[in-house]
Structures are given as structure tokens and as C-alpha cells.
Amino acid sequence: MLATKSVTGSFAGIIHGLTTSNLTEELIRRSKRMILDTLGVGLIGTTTNVFHKALQYSKIYSTDVSSTVWGQPDLRLPPLYASFVNGVAVHSMDFDDTWHPATHPSGAVLPSLIALSETLPSHHQKSGLDFLLAFNVGIEVQGRLMHFSNEASNIPKRFHPPAVVGTMGSAAASSKFLGLDQIQCREALAIAASYSGAPMANAGTQTKPLHIGNAGRHGLEAACFAFLGLEGNKQILDLESGFGAFYNDYNPQALPSLESYNWLLEKQDVAIKRFPAHLGMHWVADAACAVRKHIAGENEPLPIDNIQNIVLKIPDVKYVSRPIPNSEHEARHSFQFNACTALLDGVVSIQSFSDQNISRPELQKILNKIEIVHPSDNQPNFEKLYSEVSVTMTNGATFTERCNTFYGHWRKPLSNEDLAKKFRSNALTVLSEDRVEGIVETVNKLEDLPDCSVLCSFLSQATGKKDQSNKI
């Protein structure tokens, strides 16, 4: 039995020791919502340019063992590269879930598990409960690692969290799904730590989605290396020179025992996005939509020439303050763009980020009226931030609205009906209706399935149907 006195040993013990009997009803409910949403954003993500670049590269690899590429007809890749391209698809539009402390938890874990589920021999078949357990182990490890740093609670400045904790979560989930022993689980974490990291400078570019794809692929690869006997530092999570290298205030603690274990996802739900942009954009969009109602009717154009100026009170986060975005990826990371789009159109949707909408003259005109204010009480933290939008008209009238919690935030979660609506709208862009409904039914009864790989049978049929409406 591996000693668990070290932090690293306690993580290995929890990864190896948790069983399906530890899953609770609420944990299963929340994780199934995350799985359905992630499949949907991944499927629509297969329509993006960055996905096709990743796919074109990955096609150079082939093995006898292969896994499904989501939304593609009769196209399979080695499991590592199926995980990679599907993970890229999940984050290609910044439409995937967000947790607190700040990360995108599902995209680094789900593609690896789906890729693995197709490759196991029939006598090692995994049930839906096994799948849910491995998924939640991967989510849990990410959350526990982020709780070792107060810095991790804020919107990141230096590195993209999924490229760090997501890699560790994928390694943990893959290790659990593959049935690695406790020592191998420890080694998988050590190996994964050497794969971790990506700078925030690539936010707002086509490279950012690679962070999620690489996190899933590298975590899975770390588990495979551990299975083969590769070794790393046995105290990787204990050391300042180990996982502590990523945080200035790293303070690791051993995990609770199996007998008294409680899951973080039960305490802290995720946010599920209504439109494809950085999570902070949802506050400013909702505030701007509320202001618009004071200025123009639902079907009336915004009287741009009657607007004197627009003041946005937002947290000081440099990488999402982009006065004049020049691409869809920059627009998804721009408080200014999302506020002005909401004012012009009364909604922010998938279509908002098209080149046509980004370059329209009326948007450029209103962007020039923006003034940014960073109140000292508006913290760069998804639990605490707010957005306030004030529009002053040429006649002197000023209209102000503030959003403290948007619809989709964990304090105000999407209803099951609206989550399913989002999934169907996304998935129908590349799958036939019967496949889409097959995924919904399979995820809904996932805990009852004797073979979780049945989910893969619904993910690969492409159609010509394109329905990108996604307004909740």
C-alpha cells in the first residue's frame, strides 16, 4: 500500500480509491449537464477553422487502435489525437463551461474518456457509472489543485489554467478509467506536470483552443506512460519546484480520507454559457441588453447618433479589454465588443462573431463612444465581479443597468430545458436529428448503461444541415 502522508500520495490514493458508490445523486446530475453541454459545444466547434487546422495536422498519425472524431463521417484517429482534436473543438469558440476557481474543467477530461472508451477490449468494458466516476475524478483533481492557491481564484494573468490543472485532471481521469494502481496514478500526475502550461498571451487567438486539446491529450499520454512504468518525482504536488512552480502562493494540503470524502462539484457548480465568449462577457452583455430597453424598442434600431457616450464599469482584466477587435477570437475576449453588440442587437449569439458583424460600420461607430472605468470594488473574480453599463444621450439623459449575476452563472443556472435547447442547436449543425436525440437520451440515462462506449456511436454522422441559432 502506498504511503499517503504526502500531498501527492493522498491524491493518488483518492484517484485510485474512489468508487462508483462515492457518486451522489447531485454529483451525477451536475456532471451529466456538463457532459451534454461539452458535447454540444464540441460538435459545433467542428465547424471552425481552428478545428480543421488541428484535424489536418492530426491526420498524419495512424494506428490499428482508433477513436471517433466528433461530427465527422467515417473519420477516426489514434486515441491521443482524437482526444486532441475533439478538445480543440470544445474550446474553439470559447463556448465551454467555466468553474470557480477559474478554469474550463470539462473540455480537458471528456474527450480523453470518450476516446478511451472505444479502445478497451470487450472484457474490460466500462459502464456509464464507471465513465461518470472517471469524469468526476478528473474534475475533482482540477478543483483541489486550484484550491491550493488564492491567486487561482481570480481571472488568470500569466497562464491559462486548463493547460495546467486540465492536464492533471485528464491524467487523473484517464488513470481511473484505465484502472491504474495507486503507484501508477502517482506517476501519471508527475508525468502530467511536465506537460503542463500555456501563456495567457495567446488568449484571443486561434492558438488558445489548442490549450484544451493539449491538456486532454497530454493527460491521457501521461496515464499511458505511467501504465508502461515511466516514473517521475514522487512528491510532485508537494514541492515548490513541482506543481508549486505555477503559483506564487502555493499551499498544498493532503486530501480528506476516502471515508469522509466530499466532492467539490457538489459545493460549487459550473457556469454554462449562453453565447460563445469569455465568461466575463456575459455580465456586460446582460447589463447592455437591459440598458437597450430604455433606449429602443425590441425591433427598433439603436439610435446611435443620439448617443453621446457609453461607460463600462468592469474589472481590470487586460486580455479581455480590446477596444477594436479584429477577429472573432479577439471579439470573444472584448468587453467593448460584447457590450456594443448587445446594445445594437439586443442579444449576443453565435452569429455576433462572424466577420460580417465584426466589421459592420455601425459597430465600429459605437465602439468609439466607449469609456472604461475600473471601480476598486469590482474584482477580477468570477464569484465577485459585476458589470455596469451607462449610456448618456445627446439630450443629457443617462440610462444605467448593472448585472451582478447573469443567467447561466452557477448562482443562476440554466434550466434543464434551456441547456437541452443549447445542446440541440449546437449539435444539429453537424449531426442528424436522430443522432442528436440519441446523445440526449444516452447522457440522460448514462448511469444505467452497461457499456458507456455506446455514446460514441452517435457522435460521427455528419449532415449538411446548418442551424446556428442559439438564443436563450
Side-chain angles (χ1 to χ4, degrees), residues 224-283:
C224 293
F225 273 128
F227 174 76
L228 293 173
L230 193 71
E231 297 178 350
N233 192 299
K234 295 174 176 53
Q235 292 188 306
I236 196 69
L237 302 183
D238 298 76
L239 301 174
E240 184 178 325
S241 59
F243 197 76
F246 295 107
Y247 298 100
N248 294 319
D249 60 347
Y250 188 63
N251 183 28
Q253 306 290 326
L255 297 184
S257 66
L258 285 168
E259 293 74 22
S260 59
Y261 202 82
N262 294 307
W263 301 85
L264 289 179
L265 186 58
E266 282 197 299
K267 303 174 186 177
Q268 174 68 63
D269 202 356
V270 298
I272 293 177
K273 299 175 180 179
R274 304 193 324 270
F275 59 87
H278 182 277
L279 194 71
M281 307 306 103
H282 291 66
W283 277 273

Side-chain angles (χ1 to χ4, degrees), residues 27-339:
L27 192 71
I28 290 173
R29 185 188 72 83
R30 287 184 172 180
S31 55
K32 288 197 301 183
R33 282 168 55 91
M34 293 163 70
I35 288 168
L36 187 66
D37 183 59
T38 304
L39 290 172
V41 300
L43 286 164
I44 193 172
T46 65
T47 66
T48 63
N49 185 261
V50 63
F51 167 80
H52 285 286
K53 283 182 167 64
L55 183 60
Q56 183 179 5
Y57 160 74
S58 298
K59 282 180 179 180
I60 68 176
Y61 298 96
S62 64
T63 61
D64 293 335
V65 179
S66 64
S67 302
T68 298
V69 178
W70 301 355
Q72 306 300 299
D74 303 319
L75 178 58
R76 301 175 68 83
L77 289 172
L80 287 175
Y81 287 92
S83 173
F84 170 65
V85 297
N86 292 331
V88 169
V90 167
H91 197 57
S92 63
M93 298 169 70
D94 218 311
F95 212 177
D96 45 331
D97 57 22
T98 304
W99 210 13
H100 179 74
T103 195
H104 304 285
S106 298
V109 173
L110 185 63
S112 296
L113 293 178
I114 289 179
L116 278 177
S117 72
E118 295 184 87
T119 65
L120 297 178
S122 57
H123 60 281
H124 285 147
Q125 174 180 295
K126 297 289 185 179
S127 70
L129 273 178
D130 294 326
F131 188 95
L132 285 164
L133 176 63
F135 178 81
N136 278 288
V137 164
I139 302 301
E140 181 74 5
V141 164
Q142 295 178 69
R144 293 288 179 177
L145 290 172
M146 288 188 296
H147 276 82
F148 294 161
S149 165
N150 291 325
E151 176 187 330
S153 292
N154 294 329
I155 298 174
K157 295 180 180 179
R158 295 181 294 112
F159 62 83
H160 195 204
V164 176
V165 296
T167 309
M168 306 298 282
S170 173
S174 300
S175 297
K176 187 65 183 176
F177 200 68
L178 290 169
L180 301 194
D181 65 30
Q182 197 167 338
I183 292 175
Q184 291 169 326
C185 290
R186 182 191 66 196
E187 303 301 347
L189 294 174
I191 298 164
S194 282
Y195 279 113
S196 297
M200 282 307 302
N202 273 323
T205 75
Q206 285 190 326
T207 295
K208 183 172 177 250
L210 302 186
H211 298 174
I212 299 287
N214 279 329
R217 172 169 66 107
H218 288 153
L220 172 53
E221 193 165 63
C224 293
F225 273 128
F227 174 76
L228 293 173
L230 193 71
E231 297 178 350
N233 192 299
K234 295 174 176 53
Q235 292 188 306
I236 196 69
L237 302 183
D238 298 76
L239 301 174
E240 184 178 325
S241 59
F243 197 76
F246 295 107
Y247 298 100
N248 294 319
D249 60 347
Y250 188 63
N251 183 28
Q253 306 290 326
L255 297 184
S257 66
L258 285 168
E259 293 74 22
S260 59
Y261 202 82
N262 294 307
W263 301 85
L264 289 179
L265 186 58
E266 282 197 299
K267 303 174 186 177
Q268 174 68 63
D269 202 356
V270 298
I272 293 177
K273 299 175 180 179
R274 304 193 324 270
F275 59 87
H278 182 277
L279 194 71
M281 307 306 103
H282 291 66
W283 277 273
V284 78
D286 277 14
C289 285
V291 168
R292 189 187 195 279
K293 294 177 181 178
H294 297 293
I295 302 170
E298 184 175 354
N299 297 314
E300 295 176 357
L302 188 74
I304 298 173
D305 292 336
N306 295 337
I307 294 176
Q308 182 69 38
N309 75 311
I310 303 164
V311 177
L312 307 183
K313 292 185 177 180
I314 54 176
D316 186 6
V317 184
K318 290 180 174 55
Y319 79 91
V320 283
S321 182
R322 301 173 188 264
I324 308 292
N326 293 310
S327 71
E328 62 166 302
H329 297 283
E330 290 186 1
R332 298 184 201 282
H333 295 78
S334 169
F335 277 118
Q336 296 91 328
F337 173 86
N338 285 273

Side-chain angles (χ1 to χ4, degrees), residues 337-371:
F337 173 86
N338 285 273
C340 290
T341 296
L343 284 169
L344 279 173
D345 303 330
V347 68
V348 181
S349 68
I350 290 170
Q351 293 85 358
S352 300
F353 302 94
S354 68
D355 290 342
Q356 181 180 355
N357 278 328
I358 292 171
S359 61
R360 53 185 165 157
E362 58 268 36
L363 179 65
Q364 302 303 311
K365 188 173 184 179
I366 195 173
L367 280 167
N368 290 322
K369 298 176 185 284
I370 291 281
E371 175 187 346

